[in-house]
Amino acid sequence: RVPREIEAPTISVETLFERYYKDGAAVTTTYGDGIVKEFRASDGFYSVSLLMKSGKVFATAYLQEDSMSYRLARGCQEGYPVLTKYGLSGVLQSVNPTTGVHNIVVPSCGAMCYLQPDQVVRPLKAAVGEDVSTKFGDGKVMKYRLSDDKYEIKLNWGGATLYAEAQNFDRIDDRMEYKGGFRMGWILNFFYSREDGKDDGVPRSRSNSFSMLSQSNLSTRSLR
C-alpha cells in the first residue's frame, strides 16, 4: 500500500497589543481632551470620545497609545494645592496615568479624594489646614473664598484672623504635618498600602470617591 501524504494544518498566531489606558481614562490628544471608551487588542487602537470645552462629545477618534497622554487638571501640578468642585481643598499628591484619576490629600479632615481632572477647579496657593507664613507671623489657612480669591488665615499669636490674597503669604514647606493629630505622611502610607493589598487582578477606578481616616474607623464614600 502506498502511504498517503497528510498536509499539516496551518497554525496562525495572532499578535495582541498590550493595553495601557483603561476604559474611562481622561486623556489629552492632538485633537483635544477625550475619554477612552474601548481598546482593540488586535491592532492597538483606542476608541476615544473627543470633548468640547463644555464637556459634550463632538467626535470619536481612533488613536494609538503614543498619540495620547494622561490629562492633568488645567494649571495644576503634582505636589501643590488645588480646589475641588466639592468645595474641598487639598494637595494633588499624584495622578494615575492609566486612568487620569487625581489623588488629592485633604489636610483639614485627613481624607484622600480620587477625582477626574474636570472635578478639580483650579490651583491654590495653600489648602485649608496648611501652615503659612505672612508678614504678621505664621498661621494656618482656615478657609478659602473663591468669590474674591482670598484666604482666611488664623495667626498663631493672639487668635487674630487675616484675610489675604495669594501674593501676601507663603506656604510653609513642612505643610504635610498636623500639630495635634495624624501626620499626613503616615496617612498617605496607610492609603497606598491598602490599595496594594487589595490588588486582586480586577481593574478598578477609584474616580469620584474619597477615603476618610479618623481615630476610630476608616470609611470610603462615594461623591456621586
Side-chain angles (χ1 to χ4, degrees), residues 71-91:
R71 185 169 10 129
L72 185 63
R74 193 175 304 278
C76 299
Q77 299 182 56
E78 293 184 42
Y80 290 88
V82 296
L83 177 68
T84 75
K85 66 179 295 185
Y86 303 102
L88 296 172
S89 62
V91 177

Side-chain angles (χ1 to χ4, degrees), residues 20-22 24-36 46 48-50 63-73 78 95-102 116-117:
Y20 183 74
Y21 295 105
K22 297 180 181 179
V27 296
T28 296
T29 77
T30 53
Y31 306 103
D33 294 340
I35 300 292
V36 172
Y46 293 84
V48 180
S49 295
L50 300 178
L63 305 170
Q64 290 186 308
E65 181 183 328
D66 57 4
S67 299
M68 300 181 289
S69 61
Y70 72 86
R71 185 169 10 129
L72 185 63
E78 293 184 42
V95 179
N96 185 327
T98 65
T99 63
V101 172
H102 288 44
Q116 288 291 343

Side-chain angles (χ1 to χ4, degrees), residues 22-58:
K22 297 180 181 179
D23 288 350
V27 296
T28 296
T29 77
T30 53
Y31 306 103
D33 294 340
I35 300 292
V36 172
K37 304 305 292 183
E38 61 180 353
F39 173 70
R40 293 197 311 240
S42 59
D43 58 7
F45 276 82
Y46 293 84
S47 173
V48 180
S49 295
L50 300 178
L51 306 175
M52 296 187 290
K53 289 185 178 180
S54 63
K56 293 184 178 180
V57 176
F58 72 89

Side-chain angles (χ1 to χ4, degrees), residues 134-150:
T134 77
K135 64 181 180 180
F136 302 104
D138 293 347
K140 186 181 294 291
V141 176
M142 306 305 294
K143 185 183 297 184
Y144 169 73
R145 297 195 313 228
L146 182 62
S147 58
D148 58 2
D149 195 23
K150 286 189 177 180

